[in-house]
Amino acid sequence: MATLADARRVAAAVSGGLGGPDAGGAARGLRRMLDADAVGIGGLHGVPVWAGRPPDDADALADAVLSSDARAGARGIVALPVHARDELAGVLVVAGPVAVAAAREAALWLGEALERARLEESAAVAEQAELRALRAEISPHFVYNSLTAIASFVKSDPERSRDLMLDFAEYTRHSLARHGDYTTVAGEFRAIEAYLALARAVLGERLTVQVRIAPEILPVALPYLALQPLVENAVRHGVELPGGSGLVQVSGEADGTECVIAVEDDGPGMDPEYAAAVLAGQGSPGSMGLVNVDRRLRTVFGPGYGLVIETGVGAGTRVLLRLPRFQPGVVV
């Protein structure tokens, strides 16, 4: 158990790279695991960080490994390249009565720890990229129509024009905000209400909206832009199509320790197989908003959460979002 604990700490210490600020902690952990006199860990640049007193020729051996990408050694010391994704990432130097095979396994394990850290970093970058993509998905067509509708009320109903301009400001502020990973259900619905006010101004009597949200779920934290794209998708594909008109219903309620939010339209619907392809990322470019929301929900809350699409040709579309009411680490 002590060895496993050391291994976990070493993996965490090298997450910033072999030349990172925690490399010393990784070297100390490996020294204990190998029962070595000294262990040095170094990245591609700079001298190794040591745990224990390094032999006189240790740094020279480390340089030899980094320049040749091959093992180097002397009496009682071995220096090995560390690879991550088949690329040289640094060097491991082990001094003392340690079998070369054991040192080689340690170098392989270090490389795998680096690969895992890079994958986690890539996943975090991808998540942020998906959020940026959602924030950039404001339809120029919707913006143009909204501003045109606002302008049409300037003389005939200046108070409504002013209210719609405030709705437009709230909608764009929420959609383009650059800070914060999480908001609340209440925060999402402020932007949704602004969006729906603009949509009603543009579509007129073609759009009917019903919203029923239980007060107890309003403080629930969720990823930014997790609900707004679902409502926009319902309006765009259920009502906004040429000649289309219909009802968009949004409901939310607590279900034990979880909350369930549904966005439903009575539009043309879609083939269930295509709906499954949409969530698998194989739908049309216009469906990427749903994919991004689903992936971010699963990343934050786990594979048991995300979106479910209930639909059929000519039967409308219902998108269900289920998430925990409380999740450690998810804080607004």
Side-chain angles (χ1 to χ4, degrees):
M1 294 303 296
T3 300
L4 288 174
D6 277 336
R8 179 179 55 80
R9 284 191 287 266
V10 169
V14 299
S15 61
L18 297 182
D22 296 326
R28 290 189 294 273
L30 281 175
R31 184 188 179 195
R32 286 191 299 270
M33 292 168 64
L34 295 170
D35 195 20
D37 293 339
V39 168
I41 295 176
L44 296 178
H45 307 286
V47 298
V49 176
W50 284 89
R53 183 176 180 179
D56 293 338
D57 51 355
D59 288 341
L61 287 174
D63 289 340
V65 168
L66 293 176
S67 61
S68 65
D69 194 8
R71 191 181 84 186
R75 185 177 178 83
I77 183 171
V78 61
L80 297 155
V82 177
H83 295 99
R85 296 187 183 179
D86 297 323
E87 296 180 353
L88 182 65
V91 61
L92 170 67
V93 187
V94 180
V98 177
V100 173
R104 186 184 299 114
E105 285 298 323
L108 291 172
W109 183 80
L110 269 183
E112 292 172 358
L114 280 175
E115 289 184 7
R116 287 194 298 271
R118 290 179 180 180
L119 285 173
E120 291 173 0
E121 182 180 0
S122 297
V125 171
E127 183 181 344
Q128 291 301 316
E130 289 176 351
L131 181 55
R132 287 195 297 271
L134 282 174
R135 285 168 169 162
E137 271 192 357
I138 294 180
S139 166
H141 180 67
F142 177 74
V143 170
Y144 174 80
N145 286 342
S146 296
L147 292 176
T148 300
I150 292 169
S152 70
F153 290 112
V154 168
K155 290 185 178 179
S156 62
D157 193 344
E159 185 174 345
R160 186 179 182 189
S161 176
R162 175 184 176 278
D163 290 341
L164 288 173
M165 184 58 73
L166 293 175
D167 289 329
F168 184 78
E170 173 63 23
Y171 169 72
T172 54
R173 182 201 65 79
H174 189 80
S175 299
L176 299 176
R178 298 296 178 187
H179 57 83
D181 294 325
Y182 305 110
T183 183
T184 61
V185 171
E188 280 284 285
F189 268 98
R190 281 194 293 270
I192 288 171
E193 289 172 354
Y195 167 78
L196 290 173
L198 293 167
R200 283 192 292 265
V202 171
L203 297 172
E205 295 182 355
R206 291 170 54 193
L207 173 62
T208 303
V209 178
Q210 294 180 355
V211 178
R212 300 188 305 274
I213 301 296
E216 60 265 26
I217 73 166
L218 292 177
V220 172
L222 76 172
Y224 220 84
L225 291 177
L227 296 178
Q228 184 177 319
L230 308 186
V231 176
E232 292 188 24
N233 186 75
V235 173
R236 187 179 303 132
H237 298 289
V239 181
E240 209 173 59
L241 296 173
S245 62
L247 170 67
V248 171
Q249 300 179 82
V250 185
S251 61
E253 62 183 4
D255 183 11
T257 60
E258 300 177 335
C259 72
V260 180
I261 299 172
V263 180
E264 185 173 359
D265 67 74
D266 59 356
M270 69 184 89
D271 187 292
E273 292 186 1
Y274 179 72
V278 165
L279 289 185
Q282 300 168 357
S284 65
S287 65
M288 288 308 294
L290 293 180
V291 179
N292 288 345
V293 170
D294 183 61
R295 288 177 179 170
R296 289 192 298 124
L297 289 171
R298 295 180 188 276
T299 298
V300 172
F301 299 118
Y305 297 97
L307 301 182
V308 175
I309 300 178
E310 299 174 351
T311 187
V313 177
T317 301
R318 186 171 187 244
V319 180
L320 288 171
L321 182 156
R322 181 180 293 271
L323 69 159
R325 294 175 67 181
F326 308 99
Q327 177 80 356
V330 179
V331 180
V332 178

